[in-house]
Structure formats: structure tokens, C-alpha cells
């Protein structure tokens, strides 16, 4: 049984979706909310597997609600939106689908099939997506995670180095490190995150720190504080 919740501020839209979900016998609606504050409380208390989430709510943006949750508390998300150009946030928080309002039965059925497959896959449902969405003005670039070697903090932004290009993302390094950890990325400095598999050369310093040379040619400092994490990622038992 899939435990589903709905966060939508328009009562008529909630009524319509609730009615449409009744024909899906493997789904049980465990709660509804009409704003961000009540929605956050609903997620904490009901712990739904699947969340139908409006992109725009009276007290904020739906994607911000998901970003504010610890990754282990995030349900699968299907966005609800009245405008097709509001679908981009779905890429940024790894939503499995988005539905244009008024929601159609066929589109809903397809989205639920995706949710069933993700939930049936177990841990794969929580695996990182294969790309990172980076906005550049009116354009959104989907940067393949496999192409990223290095992420550096620069003020309020992150510089994502991928295939010879640098993409700017407004995000905290700790948040991105948590997201990319399963893909083999390691924090090597308070302001740097690298793919362990991209490390080609390690040059020692006298104080226990080191310099890493990556496959891209970039050189990144490795602090002794973060050294054990890199050793584990590289399969080293002790030292280099």
C-alpha cells in the first residue's frame, strides 16, 4: 500500500485529485494540507511514501519545502502546477513527475506507475539523480553528475566543474555533498568536494595536508581533517 499525501491550497483541486485517486486501490491518502507550514508538519507526522505537491503555495514555493527536509525524510514527489514553465523545479529536487492542472486521469496513471516502479526498486528510489539542474537566466542546464570532478564554494554559490565548463549553483556545499556522496564524491576541504575516482596524483605537504591533482588537471588542497574520508573512498587503510 502506497501512503500518499497532498499539499495543495485550492480546495477544488484537492477534491478533484482525491476523487481520481479512489480508483487506485494500492494507494491510501494519509493527509492533506493547504500551505507550507501545515505541509511540513504533515510530512513529519504522516511520513508519506508519495507526495502530491503544488509548486506555488500561499506561504512559499513547494520546491523550497522539499529542500528544507533532511534527505531521509523526503517522500517521492509529484508536482502539481497550472503552468508548464513551472515544471523546471521538478528537476531541482528530483521529483519523479509533474502534472498540469486540471490533472487528467491518464497523466495521473502514468505518474503513479513511475512512483510504483521507484518504490518497488527499494533503495534505488533514494539514489541520486543522474544530473544536477543549474539555472542560467531563463535557461536550465542539466549537468551530468558523471561529468563532474570538482565542486568549489565561492561565496553564496558553488562552482561545479564539469567537462571543461564551470556552472554556478546557489546551494550550500554541505547540502550538495550529502546528495553526491552516494555517487563517490568526498569533501576534501571546507570549501571543496571532489569525485574520488578523479584523483590522479597526491602530493604530500609537511603539515599533514596534501595537494590533489585531478584528471581534469585541476589542483585541489586536501586538509588533514578530511583526509580519512578520502582514504576510505580510495580504499586505503592508512595513509597514502
Amino acid at each position: 500500500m502506497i501512503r500518499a499525501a497532498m499539499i495543495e491550497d485550492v480546495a477544488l483541486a484537492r477534491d478533484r485529485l482525491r476523487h481520481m485517486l479512489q480508483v487506485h486501490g494500492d494507494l491510501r491518502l494519509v493527509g492533506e494540507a493547504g500551505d507550507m507550514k501545515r505541509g511540513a508538519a504533515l510530512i513529519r507526522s504522516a511520513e508519506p511514501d508519495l507526495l502530491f505537491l503544488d509548486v506555488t503555495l500561499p506561504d512559499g514555493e513547494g520546491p523550497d519545502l522539499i529542500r528544507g527536509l533532511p534527505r531521509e525524510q523526503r517522500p517521492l514527489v509529484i508536482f502539481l502546477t497550472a503552468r508548464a514553465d513551472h515544471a523546471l523545479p521538478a528537476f531541482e529536487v528530483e521529483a519523479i513527475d509533474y502534472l498540469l492542472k486540471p490533472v487528467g486521469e491518464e497523466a495521473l496513471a502514468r505518474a503513479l506507475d513511475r512512483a510504483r516502479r521507484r518504490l518497488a526498486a527499494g533503495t534505488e528510489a533514494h539514489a541520486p539523480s543522474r544530473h544536477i539542474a543549474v539555472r542560467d537566466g531563463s535557461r536550465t542546464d542539466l549537468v551530468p553528475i558523471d561529468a563532474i570532478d570538482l565542486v568549489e564554494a565561492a561565496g553564496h554559490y558553488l562552482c561545479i566543474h564539469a567537462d571543461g565548463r564551470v556552472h554556478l549553483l546557489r546551494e550550500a556545499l554541505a547540502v550538495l555533498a550529502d546528495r553526491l556522496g552516494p555517487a563517490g564524491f568526498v569533501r576534501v576541504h571546507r570549501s571543496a568536494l571532489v569525485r574520488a575516482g578523479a584523483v590522479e596524483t597526491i602530493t604530500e605537504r609537511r603539515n599533514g595536508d596534501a595537494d590533489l591533482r585531478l584528471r581534469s588537471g585541476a589542483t585541489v588542497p586536501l586538509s588533514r581533517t578530511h583526509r580519512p574520508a578520502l582514504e576510505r573512498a580510495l580504499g586505503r587503510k592508512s595513509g597514502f
Side-chain angles (χ1 to χ4, degrees):
M1 182 67 68
I2 300 174
R3 295 168 51 82
M6 184 193 318
I7 303 177
E8 160 66 64
D9 63 310
V10 179
L12 185 61
R14 291 199 305 270
D15 293 342
R16 176 183 172 82
L17 183 57
R18 189 188 313 112
H19 176 74
M20 295 173 66
L21 292 174
Q22 290 176 355
V23 302
H24 297 274
D26 61 340
L27 186 143
R28 180 164 65 93
L29 198 59
V30 297
E32 301 178 17
D35 55 43
M36 296 265 287
K37 182 177 180 180
R38 292 181 176 86
L42 171 61
I43 294 171
R44 289 192 297 269
S45 62
E47 298 183 349
D49 304 310
L50 177 65
L51 179 66
F52 293 93
L53 177 61
D54 196 355
V55 171
T56 303
L57 294 163
D59 52 347
E61 299 295 310
D64 291 336
L65 173 60
I66 301 302
R67 294 189 189 98
L69 295 173
R71 291 191 62 81
E72 64 274 11
Q73 294 181 15
R74 296 181 184 181
L76 296 181
V77 178
I78 296 175
F79 273 124
L80 308 173
T81 177
R83 294 174 53 183
D85 60 348
H86 285 178
L88 290 177
F91 293 108
E92 298 176 351
V93 294
E94 303 174 43
I96 61 172
D97 210 339
Y98 66 92
L99 301 174
L100 291 175
K101 295 188 285 187
V103 176
E105 293 181 358
E106 291 185 3
L108 175 61
R110 288 194 298 269
L112 287 175
D113 281 343
R114 292 189 182 97
R116 292 184 183 100
R117 290 194 294 270
R118 291 282 295 272
L119 290 170
T123 56
E124 291 181 6
H126 302 286
S129 63
R130 293 187 294 271
H131 60 257
I132 293 176
V134 180
R135 292 196 181 190
D136 183 3
S138 60
R139 188 183 76 226
T140 296
D141 294 327
L142 300 181
V143 183
I145 289 176
D146 289 344
I148 301 172
D149 283 346
L150 169 64
V151 180
E152 295 178 295
H156 296 296
Y157 288 86
L158 298 179
C159 298
I160 299 176
H161 297 255
D163 286 339
R165 294 184 59 192
V166 179
H167 304 267
L168 295 180
L169 176 67
R170 191 175 178 87
E171 182 68 273
L173 186 63
V175 173
L176 194 60
D178 179 59
R179 176 178 173 184
L180 295 182
F185 286 79
V186 182
R187 189 86 168 258
V188 296
H189 190 269
R190 60 184 175 85
S191 60
L193 181 71
V194 304
R195 179 191 296 278
V199 177
E200 290 190 339
T201 306
I202 301 167
T203 303
E204 296 286 353
R205 296 183 188 174
R206 291 182 179 180
N207 61 358
D209 293 345
D211 289 316
L212 306 176
R213 183 174 176 83
L214 307 184
R215 62 186 179 186
S216 63
T219 300
V220 187
L222 169 66
S223 72
R224 55 184 178 273
T225 302
H226 295 283
R227 184 168 182 151
L230 182 62
E231 289 181 348
R232 290 192 295 270
L234 293 173
R236 307 293 182 92
K237 292 184 178 179
S238 61
F240 296 111

